[in-house]
Amino acid sequence: MLTGKKGDAELFSKEISKDQSEIPDTQPVPLIIAAGGDGTYNEVINGIAYTGIPMAILPLGTTNVLARELDIPEVMEKALDIALGGKVQNVCLGKITLREHKIQDSISKIQDSNFELRTLNSELSRYFLLMAGIGFDGEAVYGIKSRIKRYSGKGAYIWSGLKTFMLWNPDKLTFNIDSRGYEGYSAIICNAAKYAGHFKVAPDAKLQEPSLYAFIMQGRKRSDIVRYVSGIIRGNHLKFSDMTYRKAEKIEINGKACIQIDGDYFGKTPATIEIVPDALKLVC
């Protein structure tokens, strides 16, 4: 099946899971091989979570973070060998739910980006496989123009990130992590270790482990953003005194900020994020 627009991969995977539910248990379970990037994989997992249908991947995206997380090569022949002969493992997903009046803001943005509203449930909850970015990178993803991304790939993220940096003036956010409160201006909530390629924001995170890791940035200034980004690139960001790094099962976020999940814009806070154990079968 070839996708023609955003939302197609989720629609197709839901149709496959529906068809599978009507087949006797004695028949073999199908395998979905998703060829694309992290956004495509996100759509597929939202169509097959908890169905028992496994997903394998062929990395054809902009940054291919999931492929790097699973050590799947970007050489198609080798990736296809893993897809067809790899081990199926149960992995955990993150689940994010928008709260209160922010739902309408998200619907407006999703309509602007031609996302199919039929792929969303009424609560605007979605699963994510890799991470949820709150604040700076959520704002940067919000500003990406799909037409520019289609032609320039990573360049669209860099350009939008620079614009976000120049206009950066965030509101304070509060993070209630397993009933304990923290404050900050941006955060990355990780279900996997890798971020934006091969960088590790949460080195302790594992897809098979039923927990999230929150990296909360307490600095507000543009110079703080430069320092955090440099720290992530160098791998010493967890040593900064103005950050919080916590293992979590549930995180409630209050305040006003944009959200991205697995590299695509989702909506605005307030939101609740929680871990969902063994929700997906993934070929590794």
Side-chain angles (χ1 to χ4, degrees), residues 231-251:
I232 291 172
I233 292 173
R234 294 196 303 268
N236 65 350
H237 57 292
L238 299 184
K239 298 179 180 179
F240 294 166
S241 60
D242 60 343
M243 71 87 201
T244 298
Y245 181 62
R246 291 289 182 272
K247 185 178 180 179
E249 293 183 3
K250 185 176 182 179
I251 305 167

Side-chain angles (χ1 to χ4, degrees), residues 48-268:
I48 63 171
Y50 281 119
T51 65
I53 298 175
M55 179 182 79
I57 68 168
L58 297 180
L60 298 174
T62 304
T63 54
N64 298 315
V65 179
L66 179 59
R68 295 174 187 270
E69 184 76 20
L70 300 176
D71 290 325
I72 294 176
E74 295 185 7
V75 178
M76 283 302 100
E77 292 82 359
K78 294 181 179 180
L80 187 58
D81 286 341
I82 294 174
L84 297 177
K87 181 181 179 181
V88 178
Q89 296 187 11
N90 288 329
V91 300
C92 305
L93 297 175
K95 181 182 179 182
I96 182 167
T97 302
L98 301 188
R99 305 198 312 265
E100 301 174 6
H101 60 283
K102 301 302 180 183
I103 289 178
Q104 187 57 48
D105 293 342
S106 184
I107 289 175
S108 298
K109 177 62 177 179
I110 290 169
Q111 287 174 330
D112 290 343
S113 61
N114 294 321
F115 192 85
E116 292 293 321
L117 290 179
R118 65 177 179 271
T119 66
L120 297 176
N121 64 34
S122 59
E123 293 183 335
L124 277 185
S125 292
R126 283 185 74 77
Y127 296 112
F128 62 89
L129 191 52
L130 298 168
M131 91 300 284
I134 317 295
F136 182 82
D137 66 333
E139 191 76 34
V141 170
Y142 177 86
I144 291 174
K145 304 298 183 184
S146 58
R147 179 176 56 84
I148 297 176
K149 180 182 177 182
R150 189 161 51 247
Y151 291 108
S152 65
K154 292 182 181 180
Y157 288 92
I158 295 172
W159 176 246
S160 183
L162 290 173
K163 291 193 298 180
T164 300
F165 178 77
M166 295 305 297
L167 300 173
W168 184 238
N169 185 30
D171 294 331
K172 182 176 289 186
L173 304 171
T174 59
F175 301 83
N176 191 319
I177 301 177
D178 297 334
S179 301
R180 184 173 178 180
Y182 303 89
E183 293 183 342
Y185 293 93
S186 288
I188 302 171
I189 313 300
C190 300
N191 187 43
K194 297 289 179 65
Y195 176 86
H198 61 273
F199 306 116
K200 288 188 176 182
V201 170
D204 303 299
K206 296 179 177 64
L207 290 171
Q208 296 84 359
E209 180 184 335
S211 58
L212 302 165
Y213 285 83
F215 174 62
I216 301 171
M217 293 158 271
Q218 298 159 358
R220 186 179 188 276
K221 297 181 291 186
R222 285 194 287 268
S223 59
D224 294 322
I225 295 296
V226 174
R227 183 164 48 84
Y228 292 132
V229 172
S230 299
I232 291 172
I233 292 173
R234 294 196 303 268
N236 65 350
H237 57 292
L238 299 184
K239 298 179 180 179
F240 294 166
S241 60
D242 60 343
M243 71 87 201
T244 298
Y245 181 62
R246 291 289 182 272
K247 185 178 180 179
E249 293 183 3
K250 185 176 182 179
I251 305 167
E252 294 183 355
I253 306 163
N254 293 294
K256 183 180 179 181
C258 290
I259 304 168
Q260 63 91 359
I261 55 172
D262 292 345
D264 282 335
Y265 178 77
F266 178 54
K268 294 183 179 180

Side-chain angles (χ1 to χ4, degrees), residues 24-35:
D25 294 338
T26 55
Q27 297 297 316
V29 176
L31 167 68
I32 292 180
I33 301 178

